[in-house]
Amino acid sequence: MAVETRHRGAVGQSVTKVDGPSLVAGKPVFTLDHDVPGALVGKILPSPHAHAAIVSIDTAEAEAVPGVRAILHHGNVPRVPYTTAGQGWPEPSPYDTVLFDRKVRFVGDRVAAVAAETEEAAEEALRKIRVEYKVLPAVLSPEEALADGAPVIHDEPDAEGIYDAKHNIVAAVDIPVGDVASALAEAHVTAEATCEIPYSQHAAIEPHGVIAYFDEAGRLVLRTSTQVPFHVRRIVARVVGLDPARIRVIKPRIGGGFGSKQEILLEPVAALLALRTGRPVRMAYSREEVFIASRTRHPMRVAVKLGAGKDGVLQAIDMEVLSNTGAYGAHALTVLSNVGSKTLPLYNKAPHLRFRGKAVYTNLPVAGAYRGYGATQGYFALEVAMDRLAEALGMDPIELRKRNHIRVGETSPIFEKIGEGREGTAQVVRSCALADCLRIGAERIGWKENRGRRREDGPWVHGLGMACAMQGSGITGVDMAAATLVMQDDGSFRLLVGATDLGTGSDTILAQIAAQELGVPVDRVLVYSSDTDFTPFDTGAYASSTTYVSGNAVLRAAQSVHRQILDVAAAALGERPEVLELAEGAVASRKTGRRLTLGEIGHRATYVVDQRQIAATASFTCPESPPPFAAFFCEVAVDRETGVVRVERFVVAADCGVAIHPKAAEGQLEGAILQGIGHALCEEMLFAPSGRCVNAGFFDYKLPSSLDTPRIEAILVPSEEPTGPWGAKSISEIGINGPLPAISNAIYDAVGVRLTRAPFTPERVLLALRAAGK
Amino acid sequence: MSGVHARGVRRFHFARDVEEALSLLAAYEGRGALLAGGVDLLRSLRVDIEGLIDITRIGLSYTKEARGGLAIGGTTTLTSILESRAAREYGGGILADLLHRVAVPPLRNMATLGGALVSAHPWADIPTALVALGAEVRWQGEKEGRVPVEELYQGPFRGLFRQAVAIEVLLPPWDGAFAYEKVGRTGYDIALLNACCGVGVEGGRIAWARVAVGARPDRGERLPWAEEALIGQRPSQTLWQEVQDLVAKRIEVGDDRRASGAWRREVAGVLVERALARASGRAGM
Ligand SMILES: Cc1cc2nc3c(=O)[nH]c(=O)nc-3n(C[C@H](O)[C@H](O)[C@H](O)COP(=O)(O)OP(=O)(O)OC[C@H]3O[C@@H](n4cnc5c(N)ncnc54)[C@H](O)[C@@H]3O)c2cc1C
């Protein structure tokens, strides 16, 4: 036991999550658990039309409803073009949104908002707002959006940053490296795949919610379920016309986000309603509103062409993307860019590359950030094409990956060519255990013994498939995180971070990173995060950034505090700091063996001699974005007679550098795999010809449940990232990139048909079997 | 998906017996509703309801043997049916086969057989099985009656249960066994297609056969021509396959957003074949 306590808190230990006990005890930790007396209820009137001009809005009857305190619509709010995407400055998403417009662009678009004393009064008022619409022809697919003479979705003159509004193209990229066309023509073998992903949902348990209220000084406080508190503050200030210094954003415990809360949705509406009424305002999306009015994954079609020599070494990769951003361009350019930037460097042996694509507007719900952020869509096509290439070469798919994947000391021109909506940053891979991941994962699933066997069990045929992926750790040249670490008079610590724990466990991990440097158990580090009044800046929880970017900031602050502690101890002991060592809650001299506990040091610095606050603020920008790597293996069973696919087993071996908290890292992988299985087998938002989503809820939009969960084996394969805090890289997104291609490839191994349109429903699978004459 | 329209609901009653439930229902003149598990009512789009009359305390929660078959009270939850000893043996274990595939345990703890009978969604599993099993329902309103579920579903049954309580579902004895098949998108999904089949054998030949297919997307119905093709034949894999082909040829199916008619046509045959094969196995053929 003594040994265990000595190591408790060290990096690499699965310590109790700092928020675990309060969650288990059901403490009121979430946004809307907070009761603000006298709060009004805010509600939004959604558009019933996919595309329409608002001819008139008459709110007289609605205002007369008892209890109604304010109604907002395009006629009475400032018109400030902005983007709802919560990204760093300068924002790469177009300013194509205003709070309330004269035009609606999808079923569910904001028409008006009401604040009232009760939910009933707010709903009655919504029903009594008379809106006259002039219905416009709607664009319900990316192909229609690009067709000649298509209705123009963004014809407003004040929008900024749209690539080609007249043709509904929000963003376009075309990045050639070398000469792909000739390389493909000359390649010994070629293979291609065109894969499609539909509209899908993040399905975080907690819907979006916000409370806007005023503090004693009359400043506006937004307590909100967000991944990006600092962007909320900046964007809300601009949109509602308030001095940012008069806004405080607090992020309490979040019930999941997966990217859907990297978006500024309810906050400016609640802020404006609060400002108009002088009253606190609570707003929350219903599950139906989350489906239609928050954000989705970008539906995409990705076409990949590969050319390779006889030895399987890739000569050319051509990737072409058509992305549907829906009615507004939140994350349109950056998700599009990521399709290439997070996939192509994985196979850096290919000298000829081309990445091109368009993101287009449609009159459908708005896509945004979603775990994987384009890489998921890219890997689906890339890894199915790789499976085909292996077949054409008569080579084992694992061998093909081994001959092509990037290794330590290597680079890819893509790192420099594609960044976050602009040029990226050249970088060299400093840690990569993908070769180990491939070997360990293959052994675990029994690749050699079981692949290509087509084991039958009645109508069920079993098959094995695999895929590889990488991601990044933060956004180079954009992300910045800061941390303030304060030593208290009792020798314990306060860690203030802008980093946003949205359920991922980052509060715990950041405490571990500090505790490791300071030689104390985790419970000696009190973490307070994401409050724009009290914590330093952080770009937010997205782009797999927190452990790496925020973690590095914490480590630097801890190193500085470590030095300060040694200085104080040195003065007290009359020794040089170089001979002192901080460990196990005390500073000891290697020379004399004399010791001072942290409590004694804190007390001395606070009260006794040379009084000062031992504290440091440090920040970290992201000069490079070290990729985590993973190899995915799965076994599926396909019912040849009904088309039903069951995932029997899933093995993922991932390299996230040093796992700060192994259980949390495995949890991220397991969750991402299951979310990916949902993409592969059952998740799809469906639309009526009017553009209305017809399955906006869990009754008819299916997530895999515990009944559908196969054995998921998450294996952490260690490497050491020299630029990471204690050797760590990211782990939160990469897991979702594997299931789509691995399952598709496994279905092919089982029954010989390629599924390229997700999800692989019984109907699509059976149709593919019949089309192949099977 | 508008959820609960609690707005209109003014009163909630716990009825003590059937008579009280009926008189309360009558007093609301159409603006009252019987409430059992409530899982369906909560999703319903009815906005006109002012009074909810809870009938779970009127003594209709039981599963018992009755003349070789089963009698199940109208407010018996799906979980308690699953747990009852009497139900376990019935029809070769058909009720466990069926109910384990209905929704998820927390929902089964609330949902009742009466509620399932009355809500009778076209995609639901329980109506398909009730029709295949030849279930009858005993009801009480201004009058009392007893009617085969199959016949009930051919008429305006929703109107009846706005003024009457489904007292009991009676499942007749069968000398043979049934089996249930379902395809959903996940393990807890509603059916894209379902089938319930049963067979009994005498002297080496099929004496009776029941074949019903539901979520076509219409509500489960029997396929009499498929049953006729089975009766008098010797049970065999070949026979099940012949019926599979017949079903695929003749069944009436349609498209909805969950699946196409073409998929349903082919898979209906498969599910019938599988249910027949399993049922005959259970019957010890
Ligand atoms: C999420 C979900 C998943 C489902 N999945 C499945 C599935 O996989 N397979 C399947 O077969 N079904 C499924 N169902 C349907 C479910 O079986 C029925 O909704 C449920 O059994 C209804 O029972 P209840 O007691 O909750 O009914 P309630 O909601 O209480 O009542 C439903 C209706 O019946 C009336 N009613 C209830 N009891 C009586 C009675 N004794 N006499 C007269 N009228 C009565 C009520 O007035 C109301 O109109 C699902 C339902 C939901 C919500």
Side-chain angles (χ1 to χ4, degrees):
Chain A
M1 285 315 272
V3 176
E4 253 191 61
T5 35
R6 191 139 49 86
H7 286 284
R8 201 159 62 90
V11 155
Q13 304 294 313
S14 294
V15 300
T16 303
K17 284 181 78 189
V18 296
D19 53 348
S22 55
L23 286 174
V24 171
K27 299 287 182 208
V29 291
F30 296 98
T31 300
L32 297 176
D33 289 342
H34 197 73
D35 211 9
V36 178
L40 299 171
V41 177
K43 290 248 166 220
I44 287 177
L45 180 68
S47 163
H49 301 294
H51 200 188
I54 295 174
V55 178
S56 66
I57 292 192
D58 178 355
T59 57
E61 218 183 314
E63 281 163 41
V65 172
V68 169
R69 297 288 171 260
I71 300 180
L72 306 177
H73 55 81
H74 73 79
N76 64 9
V77 301
R79 184 178 174 91
V80 181
Y82 72 108
T83 173
T84 59
Q87 298 173 285
W89 184 90
E91 291 161 322
S93 297
Y95 287 180
D96 60 1
T97 307
V98 293
L99 265 186
F100 299 94
D101 206 349
R102 285 179 294 266
K103 187 170 155 174
V104 288
R105 296 181 177 83
F106 69 101
V107 177
D109 205 355
R110 285 198 291 241
V111 176
V114 170
E117 299 288 348
T118 63
E119 184 143 355
E120 289 73 18
E123 276 179 1
E124 189 181 341
L126 290 184
R127 282 194 300 277
K128 289 187 169 164
I129 298 175
R130 303 274 163 255
V131 187
E132 192 188 332
Y133 294 98
K134 179 169 171 271
V135 175
L136 302 168
V139 172
L140 298 177
S141 73
E143 291 77 14
E144 286 170 51
L146 291 172
D148 282 343
V152 178
I153 295 171
H154 283 276
D155 50 0
E156 69 276 19
D158 52 355
E160 286 172 43
I162 301 174
Y163 178 80
D164 179 357
K166 278 204 186 70
H167 297 97
N168 294 320
I169 303 173
V170 52
V173 288
D174 188 349
I175 289 153
V177 177
D179 181 355
V180 158
S182 328
L184 281 173
E186 287 159 20
H188 174 72
V189 278
T190 59
E192 51 183 271
T194 300
C195 292
E196 279 179 73
I197 289 186
Y199 266 103
S200 61
Q201 275 290 311
H202 310 72
I205 292 181
E206 179 204 32
H208 302 64
V210 58
I211 309 179
Y213 58 97
F214 299 94
D215 68 10
E216 310 75 40
R219 292 170 71 244
L220 178 69
V221 182
L222 295 170
R223 180 180 157 99
T224 179
S225 179
T226 184
Q227 296 173 227
V228 286
F230 290 88
H231 299 333
V232 169
R233 177 170 173 274
R234 187 188 77 236
I235 293 171
V236 168
R238 195 170 78 79
V239 173
V240 308
L242 208 62
D243 177 359
R246 303 208 45 85
I247 302 179
R248 172 182 176 192
V249 178
I250 302 171
K251 176 227 68 114
R253 182 59 165 74
I254 300 302
F258 309 107
S260 70
K261 293 173 183 166
Q262 194 197 336
E263 208 73 17
I264 284 69
L265 295 169
L266 289 172
E267 293 93 345
V269 180
L272 210 51
L273 286 171
L275 288 168
R276 288 279 158 95
T277 58
R279 298 268 301 271
V281 174
R282 290 166 75 89
M283 295 188 81
Y285 274 153
S286 66
R287 182 58 65 181
E288 184 180 12
E289 287 176 303
V290 173
F291 265 80
I292 60 174
S294 78
R295 294 295 176 257
T296 70
R297 191 180 282 291
H298 281 81
M300 268 188 213
R301 194 176 67 220
V302 180
V304 169
K305 291 195 186 96
L306 304 174
K310 206 182 279 179
D311 55 2
V313 176
L314 285 167
Q315 294 303 311
I317 309 178
D318 180 79
M319 190 180 261
E320 187 174 3
V321 182
L322 180 58
S323 173
N324 176 3
T325 191
Y328 297 94
H331 302 268
L333 170 61
T334 40
V335 166
L336 172 63
S337 302
N338 237 39
V339 178
S341 68
K342 294 289 182 280
T343 58
L344 299 174
L346 181 63
Y347 300 128
N348 67 331
K349 302 299 170 288
H352 304 281
L353 304 168
R354 183 157 182 200
F355 175 69
R356 65 206 139 123
K358 294 188 179 96
V360 301
Y361 288 119
T362 59
N363 293 116
L364 287 168
V366 185
Y370 189 152
R371 188 183 222 169
Y373 206 76
T376 308
Q377 292 94 319
Y379 277 114
F380 182 15
L382 179 61
E383 291 299 276
V384 169
M386 285 292 276
D387 207 60
R388 280 204 164 124
L389 185 66
E391 189 184 27
L393 286 158
M395 188 180 280
D396 187 285
I398 297 177
E399 184 58 32
L400 179 64
R401 266 76 172 191
K402 280 194 201 157
R403 293 190 184 189
N404 287 287
H405 77 73
I406 196 164
R407 284 171 168 76
V408 171
E410 295 180 357
T411 186
S412 156
I414 294 296
F415 287 132
E416 191 173 0
K417 297 242 174 197
I418 321 177
E420 187 77 351
R422 51 179 178 175
E423 292 217 327
T425 315
Q427 70 175 48
V428 166
V429 168
R430 301 178 197 274
S431 62
C432 175
L434 184 54
D436 294 336
C437 295
L438 282 164
R439 181 178 47 78
I440 293 167
E443 269 167 25
R444 180 70 73 89
I445 196 105
W447 181 257
K448 281 223 181 71
E449 307 83 276
N450 299 321
R451 182 167 178 274
R453 292 293 148 86
R454 304 206 165 168
R455 180 165 68 81
E456 292 189 20
D457 166 15
W460 296 94
V461 193
H462 292 247
L464 258 55
M466 60 86 55
C468 290
M470 57 170 253
Q471 194 84 29
S473 302
I475 308 167
T476 58
V478 175
D479 282 352
M480 192 277 276
T484 298
L485 185 67
V486 180
M487 188 182 186
Q488 320 258 60
D489 60 353
D490 63 342
S492 70
F493 298 90
R494 235 170 345 123
L495 176 62
L496 308 176
V497 286
T500 303
D501 189 335
L502 59 145
T504 49
S506 66
D507 284 352
T508 306
I509 286 158
L510 297 176
Q512 283 178 280
I513 290 172
Q516 175 86 10
E517 174 67 27
L518 299 167
V520 294
V522 172
D523 59 14
R524 299 299 285 166
V525 182
L526 181 83
V527 186
Y528 186 71
S529 63
S530 310
D531 180 330
T532 61
D533 267 15
F534 292 99
T535 64
F537 182 84
D538 192 296
T539 30
Y542 56 88
S544 288
S545 62
T546 305
T547 301
Y548 183 73
V549 183
S550 312
N552 263 320
V554 168
L555 182 57
R556 287 171 178 214
Q559 286 163 341
S560 168
V561 165
H562 185 159
R563 280 192 298 274
Q564 294 175 40
I565 290 170
L566 294 190
D567 286 344
V568 172
L573 297 170
E575 305 202 33
R576 283 178 305 116
E578 293 74 43
V579 303
L580 299 180
E581 209 166 61
L582 171 59
E584 290 172 53
V587 175
S589 163
R590 275 192 301 266
K591 223 166 77 187
T592 62
R594 289 169 62 204
R595 275 167 60 94
L596 270 182
T597 65
L598 284 176
E600 288 164 339
I601 295 168
H603 182 80
R604 180 185 167 93
T606 312
Y607 304 113
V608 186
V609 229
D610 194 14
Q611 283 162 274
R612 71 178 100 158
Q613 176 68 65
I614 296 180
T617 294
S619 51
F620 185 76
T621 55
C622 194
E624 44 193 272
S625 178
F629 296 92
F632 304 85
F633 298 85
C634 70
E635 177 182 343
V636 304
V638 183
D639 182 341
R640 269 176 305 193
E641 297 173 351
T642 62
V644 172
V645 176
R646 261 191 342 231
V647 178
E648 302 273 307
R649 225 183 132 189
F650 209 108
V651 173
V652 53
D655 157 23
C656 63
V658 171
I660 304 285
H661 190 299
K663 247 201 196 121
E666 285 165 12
Q668 287 294 319
L669 281 174
E670 289 163 8
I673 297 297
L674 194 58
Q675 214 166 20
I677 290 175
H679 284 339
L681 297 186
C682 48
E683 294 188 40
E684 178 168 20
M685 288 169 71
L686 301 167
F687 298 92
S690 63
R692 188 177 62 86
C693 177
V694 293
N695 58 344
F698 294 139
F699 185 74
D700 215 9
Y701 176 95
K702 300 320 278 192
L703 301 175
S705 71
S706 52
L707 294 173
D708 306 286
T709 307
R711 206 162 106 210
I712 300 174
E713 293 153 76
I715 307 165
L716 299 175
V717 179
S719 72
E720 190 157 344
E721 170 55 40
T723 68
W726 302 115
K729 303 186 278 189
S730 85
I731 191 68
S732 59
E733 294 187 273
I734 186 168
I736 204 166
N737 297 334
L740 274 161
I743 292 170
S744 175
N745 293 341
I747 293 172
Y748 183 76
D749 184 51
V751 293
V753 297
R754 293 264 175 216
L755 272 294
T756 54
R757 167 83 168 87
F760 315 141
T761 58
E763 171 148 10
R764 291 198 179 111
V765 173
L766 196 66
L767 212 71
L769 284 166
R770 296 301 170 257
K774 300 192 187 207
Chain B
M1 222 146 303
S2 319
V4 205
H5 289 267
R7 185 179 337 118
V9 175
R10 303 234 176 91
R11 309 199 82 190
F12 190 99
H13 310 267
F14 283 105
R16 270 163 304 192
D17 50 35
V18 177
E19 284 68 29
E20 194 187 13
L22 288 171
S23 67
L24 282 164
L25 202 52
Y28 277 104
E29 295 178 342
R31 291 185 308 280
L34 299 177
L35 179 84
V39 309
D40 210 78
L41 217 51
L42 287 182
R43 293 186 68 251
S44 100
L45 299 171
R46 281 184 67 184
V47 288
D48 56 337
I49 299 173
E50 288 177 10
L52 288 175
I53 304 148
D54 185 298
I55 54 169
T56 57
R57 301 177 183 187
I58 63 175
L60 298 180
S61 299
Y62 56 82
T63 305
K64 59 190 183 200
E65 274 170 69
R67 294 195 206 100
L70 283 183
I72 304 176
T75 60
T76 313
T77 66
L78 306 185
T79 298
S80 66
I81 299 174
L82 269 169
E83 285 170 352
S84 96
R85 183 178 290 277
R88 209 170 302 158
E89 304 295 318
Y90 178 79
I94 179 63
L95 294 180
D97 205 7
L98 163 75
L99 296 177
H100 275 129
R101 306 289 319 268
V102 172
V104 286
L107 210 119
R108 294 200 293 260
N109 292 342
M110 295 174 70
T112 66
L113 187 61
L117 169 93
V118 173
S119 55
H121 296 286
W123 43 258
D125 301 298
I126 292 169
T128 308
L130 292 179
V131 163
L133 291 167
E136 292 187 331
V137 55
R138 220 159 48 71
W139 55 269
Q140 186 178 337
E142 223 166 84
K143 290 183 283 181
E144 289 180 38
R146 176 170 166 159
V147 58
V149 172
E150 190 173 5
E151 195 178 302
L152 185 78
Y153 285 160
Q154 276 152 18
F157 66 97
R158 291 191 203 282
L160 172 67
F161 289 111
R162 293 238 172 151
Q163 296 154 43
V165 178
I167 301 286
E168 188 173 75
V169 173
L170 296 147
L171 302 178
W174 293 96
D175 190 7
F178 283 79
Y180 194 77
E181 291 286 334
K182 169 179 182 174
V183 179
R185 291 162 292 189
T186 60
Y188 65 105
D189 193 12
I190 59 172
L192 303 177
L193 194 70
N194 60 41
C196 186
C197 301
V199 281
V201 177
E202 247 171 67
R205 293 190 182 270
I206 294 175
W208 61 264
R210 307 282 288 193
V211 175
V213 178
R216 299 167 292 116
D218 291 342
R219 189 181 308 118
E221 276 180 8
R222 280 171 61 204
L223 311 177
W225 38 265
E227 294 171 357
E228 279 157 28
L230 288 158
I231 294 170
Q233 306 291 319
R234 290 186 183 280
S236 73
Q237 193 55 39
T238 324
L239 178 63
W240 314 143
Q241 274 160 8
E242 279 168 27
V243 174
Q244 171 178 352
D245 293 343
L246 182 70
V247 168
K249 206 172 292 164
R250 285 191 56 177
I251 192 166
E252 283 176 33
V253 287
D255 297 325
D256 67 1
R257 64 173 179 257
R258 297 186 188 103
S260 72
W263 178 84
R264 287 193 164 103
R265 174 170 298 289
E266 178 166 351
V267 175
V270 174
L271 296 194
V272 166
E273 182 268 333
R274 289 182 184 177
L276 285 170
R278 277 177 49 228
S280 70
R282 285 178 170 175
M285 293 177 204

PDB file of all heavy atoms in Angstrom, chain A residues 297-311:
ATOM      1  N   ARG A 297     -22.442  16.585 -38.089  1.00  0.00           N
ATOM      2  CA  ARG A 297     -21.233  16.332 -38.863  1.00  0.00           C
ATOM      3  C   ARG A 297     -21.452  16.831 -40.293  1.00  0.00           C
ATOM      4  O   ARG A 297     -22.585  16.844 -40.777  1.00  0.00           O
ATOM      5  CB  ARG A 297     -20.901  14.836 -38.902  1.00  0.00           C
ATOM      6  CG  ARG A 297     -19.508  14.574 -39.471  1.00  0.00           C
ATOM      7  CD  ARG A 297     -19.148  13.113 -39.527  1.00  0.00           C
ATOM      8  NE  ARG A 297     -18.744  12.518 -38.282  1.00  0.00           N
ATOM      9  CZ  ARG A 297     -17.608  12.788 -37.629  1.00  0.00           C
ATOM     10  NH1 ARG A 297     -16.750  13.686 -38.105  1.00  0.00           N
ATOM     11  NH2 ARG A 297     -17.318  12.179 -36.503  1.00  0.00           N
ATOM     12  N   HIS A 298     -20.365  17.238 -40.959  1.00  0.00           N
ATOM     13  CA  HIS A 298     -20.486  17.633 -42.361  1.00  0.00           C
ATOM     14  C   HIS A 298     -20.723  16.392 -43.225  1.00  0.00           C
ATOM     15  O   HIS A 298     -19.833  15.532 -43.300  1.00  0.00           O
ATOM     16  CB  HIS A 298     -19.202  18.309 -42.856  1.00  0.00           C
ATOM     17  CG  HIS A 298     -19.074  19.745 -42.440  1.00  0.00           C
ATOM     18  ND1 HIS A 298     -18.630  20.117 -41.199  1.00  0.00           N
ATOM     19  CD2 HIS A 298     -19.327  20.893 -43.109  1.00  0.00           C
ATOM     20  CE1 HIS A 298     -18.618  21.441 -41.118  1.00  0.00           C
ATOM     21  NE2 HIS A 298     -19.034  21.938 -42.257  1.00  0.00           N
ATOM     22  N   PRO A 299     -21.890  16.286 -43.852  1.00  0.00           N
ATOM     23  CA  PRO A 299     -22.067  15.182 -44.807  1.00  0.00           C
ATOM     24  C   PRO A 299     -21.071  15.393 -45.954  1.00  0.00           C
ATOM     25  O   PRO A 299     -20.836  16.522 -46.371  1.00  0.00           O
ATOM     26  CB  PRO A 299     -23.492  15.357 -45.312  1.00  0.00           C
ATOM     27  CG  PRO A 299     -24.152  16.275 -44.340  1.00  0.00           C
ATOM     28  CD  PRO A 299     -23.079  17.142 -43.781  1.00  0.00           C
ATOM     29  N   MET A 300     -20.493  14.311 -46.430  1.00  0.00           N
ATOM     30  CA  MET A 300     -19.450  14.466 -47.454  1.00  0.00           C
ATOM     31  C   MET A 300     -19.403  13.305 -48.408  1.00  0.00           C
ATOM     32  O   MET A 300     -19.765  12.189 -48.050  1.00  0.00           O
ATOM     33  CB  MET A 300     -18.065  14.506 -46.784  1.00  0.00           C
ATOM     34  CG  MET A 300     -17.591  15.869 -46.449  1.00  0.00           C
ATOM     35  SD  MET A 300     -15.871  15.787 -45.895  1.00  0.00           S
ATOM     36  CE  MET A 300     -15.917  17.131 -44.729  1.00  0.00           C
ATOM     37  N   ARG A 301     -18.921  13.630 -49.585  1.00  0.00           N
ATOM     38  CA  ARG A 301     -18.510  12.584 -50.514  1.00  0.00           C
ATOM     39  C   ARG A 301     -17.017  12.774 -50.746  1.00  0.00           C
ATOM     40  O   ARG A 301     -16.587  13.863 -51.136  1.00  0.00           O
ATOM     41  CB  ARG A 301     -19.286  12.705 -51.828  1.00  0.00           C
ATOM     42  CG  ARG A 301     -19.157  11.451 -52.691  1.00  0.00           C
ATOM     43  CD  ARG A 301     -19.999  11.553 -53.931  1.00  0.00           C
ATOM     44  NE  ARG A 301     -19.481  12.596 -54.799  1.00  0.00           N
ATOM     45  CZ  ARG A 301     -20.234  13.448 -55.477  1.00  0.00           C
ATOM     46  NH1 ARG A 301     -21.544  13.384 -55.406  1.00  0.00           N
ATOM     47  NH2 ARG A 301     -19.685  14.370 -56.239  1.00  0.00           N
ATOM     48  N   VAL A 302     -16.247  11.757 -50.499  1.00  0.00           N
ATOM     49  CA  VAL A 302     -14.791  11.855 -50.671  1.00  0.00           C
ATOM     50  C   VAL A 302     -14.362  10.778 -51.657  1.00  0.00           C
ATOM     51  O   VAL A 302     -14.684   9.604 -51.495  1.00  0.00           O
ATOM     52  CB  VAL A 302     -14.057  11.657 -49.321  1.00  0.00           C
ATOM     53  CG1 VAL A 302     -12.548  11.768 -49.518  1.00  0.00           C
ATOM     54  CG2 VAL A 302     -14.538  12.663 -48.282  1.00  0.00           C
ATOM     55  N   ALA A 303     -13.652  11.216 -52.697  1.00  0.00           N
ATOM     56  CA  ALA A 303     -13.165  10.269 -53.705  1.00  0.00           C
ATOM     57  C   ALA A 303     -11.643  10.215 -53.632  1.00  0.00           C
ATOM     58  O   ALA A 303     -10.974  11.252 -53.660  1.00  0.00           O
ATOM     59  CB  ALA A 303     -13.602  10.713 -55.090  1.00  0.00           C
ATOM     60  N   VAL A 304     -11.116   9.012 -53.518  1.00  0.00           N
ATOM     61  CA  VAL A 304      -9.665   8.829 -53.402  1.00  0.00           C
ATOM     62  C   VAL A 304      -9.180   7.940 -54.539  1.00  0.00           C
ATOM     63  O   VAL A 304      -9.795   6.912 -54.833  1.00  0.00           O
ATOM     64  CB  VAL A 304      -9.296   8.183 -52.047  1.00  0.00           C
ATOM     65  CG1 VAL A 304      -7.840   7.749 -52.031  1.00  0.00           C
ATOM     66  CG2 VAL A 304      -9.569   9.149 -50.903  1.00  0.00           C
ATOM     67  N   LYS A 305      -8.098   8.354 -55.161  1.00  0.00           N
ATOM     68  CA  LYS A 305      -7.427   7.509 -56.161  1.00  0.00           C
ATOM     69  C   LYS A 305      -5.997   7.305 -55.706  1.00  0.00           C
ATOM     70  O   LYS A 305      -5.309   8.252 -55.337  1.00  0.00           O
ATOM     71  CB  LYS A 305      -7.397   8.195 -57.529  1.00  0.00           C
ATOM     72  CG  LYS A 305      -8.729   8.311 -58.198  1.00  0.00           C
ATOM     73  CD  LYS A 305      -8.526   8.663 -59.692  1.00  0.00           C
ATOM     74  CE  LYS A 305      -9.855   8.921 -60.360  1.00  0.00           C
ATOM     75  NZ  LYS A 305     -10.207  10.357 -60.408  1.00  0.00           N
ATOM     76  N   LEU A 306      -5.555   6.046 -55.751  1.00  0.00           N
ATOM     77  CA  LEU A 306      -4.190   5.727 -55.328  1.00  0.00           C
ATOM     78  C   LEU A 306      -3.443   5.093 -56.481  1.00  0.00           C
ATOM     79  O   LEU A 306      -4.008   4.319 -57.257  1.00  0.00           O
ATOM     80  CB  LEU A 306      -4.218   4.718 -54.176  1.00  0.00           C
ATOM     81  CG  LEU A 306      -5.012   5.087 -52.928  1.00  0.00           C
ATOM     82  CD1 LEU A 306      -5.049   3.905 -51.966  1.00  0.00           C
ATOM     83  CD2 LEU A 306      -4.400   6.311 -52.258  1.00  0.00           C
ATOM     84  N   GLY A 307      -2.167   5.398 -56.576  1.00  0.00           N
ATOM     85  CA  GLY A 307      -1.316   4.712 -57.530  1.00  0.00           C
ATOM     86  C   GLY A 307      -0.075   4.226 -56.796  1.00  0.00           C
ATOM     87  O   GLY A 307       0.479   4.952 -55.971  1.00  0.00           O
ATOM     88  N   ALA A 308       0.333   2.986 -57.072  1.00  0.00           N
ATOM     89  CA  ALA A 308       1.495   2.433 -56.365  1.00  0.00           C
ATOM     90  C   ALA A 308       2.357   1.621 -57.315  1.00  0.00           C
ATOM     91  O   ALA A 308       1.901   1.170 -58.371  1.00  0.00           O
ATOM     92  CB  ALA A 308       1.035   1.546 -55.208  1.00  0.00           C
ATOM     93  N   GLY A 309       3.630   1.434 -56.910  1.00  0.00           N
ATOM     94  CA  GLY A 309       4.532   0.553 -57.648  1.00  0.00           C
ATOM     95  C   GLY A 309       4.249  -0.902 -57.293  1.00  0.00           C
ATOM     96  O   GLY A 309       3.432  -1.205 -56.422  1.00  0.00           O
ATOM     97  N   LYS A 310       4.966  -1.794 -57.939  1.00  0.00           N
ATOM     98  CA  LYS A 310       4.793  -3.230 -57.712  1.00  0.00           C
ATOM     99  C   LYS A 310       5.048  -3.595 -56.246  1.00  0.00           C
ATOM    100  O   LYS A 310       4.448  -4.504 -55.688  1.00  0.00           O
ATOM    101  CB  LYS A 310       5.805  -3.986 -58.600  1.00  0.00           C
ATOM    102  CG  LYS A 310       5.350  -5.391 -58.955  1.00  0.00           C
ATOM    103  CD  LYS A 310       6.394  -6.114 -59.795  1.00  0.00           C
ATOM    104  CE  LYS A 310       6.298  -5.690 -61.262  1.00  0.00           C
ATOM    105  NZ  LYS A 310       7.305  -6.334 -62.118  1.00  0.00           N
ATOM    106  N   ASP A 311       5.965  -2.835 -55.637  1.00  0.00           N
ATOM    107  CA  ASP A 311       6.319  -3.093 -54.240  1.00  0.00           C
ATOM    108  C   ASP A 311       5.304  -2.531 -53.255  1.00  0.00           C
ATOM    109  O   ASP A 311       5.476  -2.634 -52.044  1.00  0.00           O
ATOM    110  CB  ASP A 311       7.682  -2.471 -53.938  1.00  0.00           C
ATOM    111  CG  ASP A 311       7.718  -0.977 -54.277  1.00  0.00           C
ATOM    112  OD1 ASP A 311       6.676  -0.431 -54.716  1.00  0.00           O
ATOM    113  OD2 ASP A 311       8.779  -0.353 -54.095  1.00  0.00           O
TER     114      ASP A 311
END
